Amino acid sequence: MRADGLLAMLDRWGRNALPGAALLFFVLLTLAPLRAPYLSGALPLLPALVVFQFSLATPERLPGPLLLVMGILLDLLLGGPGAPVGVSALGFVLIRAAVVNNRRYLVGVPFLFQWSGFCLLALGFVVLIWLFTALWTWTAIDPRPAIMQYAVVIALYPLLAPLLARVRARDPLNVPDESRGTARPGETTS
Amino acid sequence: MAIRDDFEVAASQVRTAVQRFSLGLLVIAAFGAMLVGKADSVLVEHARVLALDLASPVLEAIARPVAAANRTIADLKEFASLREENARLREENVRLLAWQTAARRLENENERMRGLANFREGPEASFITARIVGDSVSAYVRGALLNVGRKAGVASGQAVVTGEGLAGRIAEVGENSARVLFVTDVNSRLPVLIERTRERAILAGDNSPQLRLTLLQSVAGVQRGDRIVTSGHGGSFPVGIPIGEVVETGEGSSVRVRPFADFSRLEFVRVVDYGVSGLVGGGSSSAPAAPPAGVRIR
């Protein structure tokens, strides 16, 4: 049992809070006026990417109720009048559940597999939101912008995922072998 | 001892049950949120406004450096394409001259109308200048967040204009923030006039860059290039704010209008305080509100 110093405590807190903070950041970024023609259109899907990426590694730090709150916040901030509030929350929760239940196909596999997994889940997410928004407002919404969003976020995944994987907090046990050093237990340096 | 063990067993059973059904519970909660939102739109409105007020300082902090960076990039781009820019400006100059003609025509018409008996000038309009601190542009919404709110005198339903023309209307107001619904949004319906023929119509958005002109008495009279202006019916908008021009007149009732405002590069807008409380209350398009009698008479 290691000593619980202040730094260790802060470290643990930080690690636990990181996925949620990253998600909150991307939820707020959704509204940022970036003015990049295709990118800003795809911003609303980035929180879904964050949920997917962190659910792969540390789903326990992104608990369902937090996803619910974040999804509702996203819908409140983004939604126009009449749009359903909570549909993003539903999507987030389902993405997390899908990732957690299919860990063995998604974790520790070649990147291409993860990417195709994300493609599938993001497609489900986009279809879900489109369907609910169309049903809720009872209008035939042009699906082309949604498809465009989907294409952009799929293309962004290979760029963002490694970045998030770096940001993702490393547990001591997750430290790659080469950086652990060669010291054996009980051995002291020189 | 046995009681404690029993308790622990029961507790762990409850825990596993909650874990097993947690997905179901969360899904139910999400649906619950949607249903509450559908049933109690006032509550959702309050929640939206609260979220906007909380988020707008953060967004403003983000918006400034982003705007500066964008300006630098735009400067560099313009430097690279000075020639094309010149050509564009010349073209725009031609367009502006056309606008000037239109303005003269309007002025003349105004003059004539004032000459008529019984004509009463509408209330004076004043402007509130606002910075756009957030885009709420997605596949389903066309709008933006402003850094002014109720404290500055912004109210729901007021018109939001740019230098070029009408951008949209205020949909939600917080203490220090407000949400604009652009005219291109699928929920936007505007009473308009075709400037040349003075014919009334409804201009509707459908989330695409162009607008749709509907409920025309006679589509035949509309030509390409016709300017569309606000009609002032409904009371919350001043008369004659330019919105766009007709770019496509198809068969049937499909008349497409290109808005003058360039939504991709908005940074500052003006909110028109027209001094009339509009009939646009919550900003929902579901119930076509009956115009209040006082407004009709005007």
Side-chain angles (χ1 to χ4, degrees):
Chain A
M1 196 75 207
R2 81 199 133 142
D4 247 7
L6 182 68
L7 273 180
M9 215 161 70
L10 280 181
D11 183 43
R12 212 170 49 238
W13 279 0
R15 231 182 256 151
N16 285 338
L18 192 76
L23 183 56
L24 181 64
F25 173 74
F26 274 93
V27 165
L28 287 177
L29 192 71
T30 301
L31 294 165
L34 286 188
R35 303 288 141 67
Y38 294 111
L39 187 64
S40 55
L43 281 179
L45 284 183
L46 288 187
L49 196 158
V50 175
V51 170
F52 176 82
Q53 194 60 25
F54 282 122
S55 299
L56 282 178
T58 54
E60 70 282 354
R61 285 174 190 156
L62 218 51
L66 179 73
L67 288 184
L68 201 68
V69 171
M70 288 293 171
I72 290 177
L73 180 69
L74 177 65
D75 285 341
L76 284 179
L77 286 176
L78 196 65
V85 173
V87 63
S88 297
L90 182 64
F92 287 170
V93 168
L94 290 180
I95 286 182
R96 180 182 186 272
V99 172
V100 168
N101 289 329
N102 295 292
R103 276 182 83 93
R104 63 192 163 117
Y105 305 112
L106 292 170
V107 178
V109 295
F111 179 75
L112 212 58
F113 281 84
Q114 284 184 359
W115 195 9
S116 31
F118 178 70
C119 288
L120 270 178
L121 286 179
L123 181 67
F125 186 75
V126 169
V127 168
L128 178 89
I129 293 198
W130 182 84
L131 208 65
F132 266 89
T133 313
L135 281 179
W136 225 245
T137 53
W138 203 245
T139 45
I141 296 171
D142 185 5
R144 268 171 298 176
I147 294 169
M148 195 67 221
Q149 266 191 355
Y150 175 66
V152 175
V153 87
I154 288 300
L156 273 180
Y157 182 77
L159 298 176
L160 262 177
L163 205 71
L164 286 175
R166 289 205 74 81
V167 168
R168 191 171 68 215
R170 284 230 171 88
D171 286 323
L173 286 178
N174 264 347
V175 174
D177 274 336
E178 60 264 34
S179 57
R180 257 191 212 155
T182 51
R184 300 187 171 281
E187 200 177 317
T188 52
T189 46
S190 66
Chain B
M1 201 64 186
I3 294 175
R4 203 171 137 208
D5 276 354
D6 279 351
F7 178 74
E8 270 175 11
V9 166
S12 74
Q13 272 173 353
V14 167
R15 214 173 301 132
T16 43
V18 166
Q19 267 164 8
R20 184 174 302 159
F21 295 114
S22 68
L23 178 64
L25 289 178
L26 289 171
V27 168
I28 290 171
F31 270 106
M34 279 190 258
L35 285 178
V36 166
K38 191 76 178 168
D40 191 347
S41 55
V42 178
L43 181 76
V44 169
E45 211 65 24
H46 281 303
R48 272 188 207 286
V49 165
L50 188 69
L52 284 188
D53 268 349
L54 288 179
S56 78
V58 183
L59 285 171
E60 202 168 345
I62 300 178
R64 275 166 203 266
V66 165
N70 273 335
R71 224 174 294 141
T72 317
I73 293 171
D75 282 355
L76 287 176
K77 260 191 206 153
E78 267 167 31
F79 195 68
S81 59
L82 271 180
R83 189 185 289 271
E84 289 91 56
E85 183 69 5
N86 251 340
R88 196 183 66 79
L89 284 177
R90 259 195 289 273
E91 191 192 321
E92 185 163 318
N93 201 17
V94 173
R95 195 156 60 93
L96 286 179
L97 281 177
W99 279 31
Q100 197 187 15
T101 323
R104 289 232 179 88
R105 198 165 54 200
L106 262 183
E107 204 180 351
N108 281 343
E109 188 173 309
N110 248 337
E111 206 69 29
R112 252 184 294 140
M113 283 180 86
R114 280 199 198 118
L116 294 173
N118 291 339
F119 181 76
R120 189 162 62 84
E121 189 80 69
E124 275 297 308
S126 62
F127 297 102
I128 305 158
T129 305
R131 172 192 280 275
I132 290 195
V133 292
D135 278 348
S136 53
V137 173
S138 71
Y140 315 104
V141 197
R142 294 287 183 276
L145 305 184
L146 305 182
N147 67 342
V148 295
R150 205 173 290 119
K151 274 186 189 157
V154 177
S156 201
Q158 285 172 345
V160 177
V161 297
T162 67
E164 291 120 11
L166 187 76
R169 66 175 163 80
I170 300 287
E172 288 155 15
V173 193
E175 280 304 310
N176 283 310
S177 63
R179 191 200 296 274
V180 189
L181 201 65
F182 288 153
V183 285
T184 48
D185 188 90
V186 72
N187 283 310
S188 168
R189 302 274 185 283
L190 283 175
V192 293
L193 283 178
I194 296 156
E195 194 180 64
R196 191 172 50 84
T197 60
R198 313 310 292 174
E199 215 175 325
R200 286 185 211 168
I202 297 287
L203 194 61
D206 54 4
N207 281 357
S208 68
Q210 295 190 341
L211 306 161
R212 214 177 50 235
L213 202 63
T214 49
L215 296 187
L216 282 170
Q217 282 141 356
S218 60
V219 191
V222 185
Q223 291 171 6
R224 282 181 64 159
D226 274 352
R227 282 161 51 92
I228 307 294
V229 299
T230 55
S231 74
H233 294 101
S236 57
F237 280 20
V239 188
I241 304 176
I243 304 171
E245 62 179 355
V246 176
V247 288
E248 188 188 320
T249 55
E251 68 282 356
S253 61
S254 71
V255 178
R256 306 295 289 188
V257 175
R258 182 185 65 82
F260 288 134
D262 181 1
F263 295 104
S264 62
R265 46 168 74 192
L266 288 182
E267 199 176 331
F268 291 98
V269 291
R270 286 182 303 167
V271 182
V272 184
D273 183 6
Y274 196 43
V276 178
S277 57
L279 54 92
V280 192
S284 84
S285 66
S286 51
V295 178
R296 259 276 167 79
I297 294 166
R298 192 172 57 81

